[in-house]
Structure formats: C-alpha cells, structure tokens
Amino acid sequence: MRLNALSCVALPTCGLALAESERALPEILEKFELVLDEAGLHDDAISLRVTGCPNGCARPYLAEIGLVGKAPHKYALYLGAKYNGTRLNRLVSPSITIDDAVKLLTPIIKRYAVERKDGEGFGDFCDREIIPRTRRFIASGR
Ligand code: SF4
C-alpha cells in the first residue's frame, strides 16, 4: 500500500485545501498498515489516494481506497475503483474521519483477505461485495 499511495500537496501549499493530505499521509498509511498486517495482507498492492479537496489532483477517484478532503479532519470515502484505472470508485461515506474510515474498512479488508477470488483486487472485491450492499442500504432509507 505504501508503494502505491499518492497524495496531493494540500496544506500548507495549496490555497484550495479543505483538509490535510500530504502531511497526513504517513500517519494514514500507518493506521491502514496495522490492519493489513492483521489480515495477512502486508505485501498486497492496494491503492490508496488522498487529496485535500474534491479537485482530486492525486486522482483519488481512481483509487481502490479514495479519501477526499471535505473539511478539517473530514474526508469523503470512495471505494471500488479498478487497480488498473479502468473503473472509477464510488462514494461510500460523504464525510468521515480517518479513524472512522479505518474502523469501517477493517472488517472489509479482513473479509477481502479470506473471501477474495483468485487474482481479485481490493477494488474489485468492494465493487462486487460492498458497493451493491451500500446502495441497497441507502435505497432502503435506513
Ligand atoms: S486536490 Fe485540492 S487541495 Fe489537493 S492540490 Fe489539488 S486543488 Fe489543492
């Protein structure tokens, strides 16, 4: 994940930034790496991209896990892009803290570790298993 991660510069360089990105990336990666280690996925190439605002200079909408700054300490969470960039991800949470995003993703990453099909990327797994359920949940109005 660390080798694949991207962020935009955001604060303090970019005047359009709504949240931290480049400066927060090392800490964000450490939190996700703990989960990956627990799931036995330390060496899996899952793409994570973070930006400080929706302009998306680090292409967060093509990440398997995309975090887009909305306000100080708050990010929109996107999941399900294809690793090779041929499918965009989908909005899963419009505003979430990094800690809550890690909490939300922990059981999903652990499920991915045991339920993935041969050669299935994390984005593919989310597109198959998580996005449809999220949409049904939203459509149900609960
Ligand atoms: S995504 Fe937004 S905050 Fe990041 S560099 Fe681009 S304009 Fe600035």
Side-chain angles (χ1 to χ4, degrees):
M1 177 177 273
R2 188 167 287 257
L3 287 172
N4 281 286
L6 282 179
S7 70
C8 71
V9 292
L11 299 167
T13 306
C14 178
L16 299 176
L18 303 170
E20 292 282 353
S21 182
E22 185 178 51
R23 292 192 300 193
L25 186 62
E27 192 180 331
I28 293 170
L29 283 169
E30 280 170 18
K31 291 176 183 198
F32 276 108
E33 282 171 343
L34 284 176
V35 180
L36 293 177
D37 284 350
E38 278 177 26
L41 299 177
H42 180 83
D43 293 327
D44 275 54
I46 294 173
S47 63
L48 179 143
R49 298 183 182 182
V50 185
T51 60
C53 86
N55 285 335
C57 294
R59 307 292 187 266
Y61 310 112
L62 282 174
E64 292 174 294
I65 302 172
L67 291 161
V68 174
K70 300 297 289 288
H73 310 295
K74 292 288 184 72
Y75 298 81
L77 172 65
Y78 293 81
L79 296 176
K82 195 159 184 72
Y83 183 82
N84 68 6
T86 57
R87 182 185 62 238
L88 295 170
N89 51 26
R90 310 282 180 87
L91 180 66
V92 170
S93 173
S95 182
I96 193 166
T97 64
I98 294 297
D99 284 345
D100 284 344
V102 173
K103 269 188 219 158
L104 187 149
L105 279 163
T106 295
I108 298 172
I109 289 170
K110 289 183 175 174
R111 273 191 61 197
Y112 168 64
V114 296
E115 295 179 20
R116 62 181 168 178
K117 296 177 178 172
D118 272 355
E120 188 175 40
F122 182 68
D124 296 330
F125 177 78
C126 289
D127 189 62
R128 173 169 68 84
E129 281 292 320
I130 307 304
I131 304 299
R133 286 177 196 202
T134 305
R135 295 196 149 188
R136 281 200 298 275
F137 180 77
I138 291 168
S140 73
R142 282 185 279 156

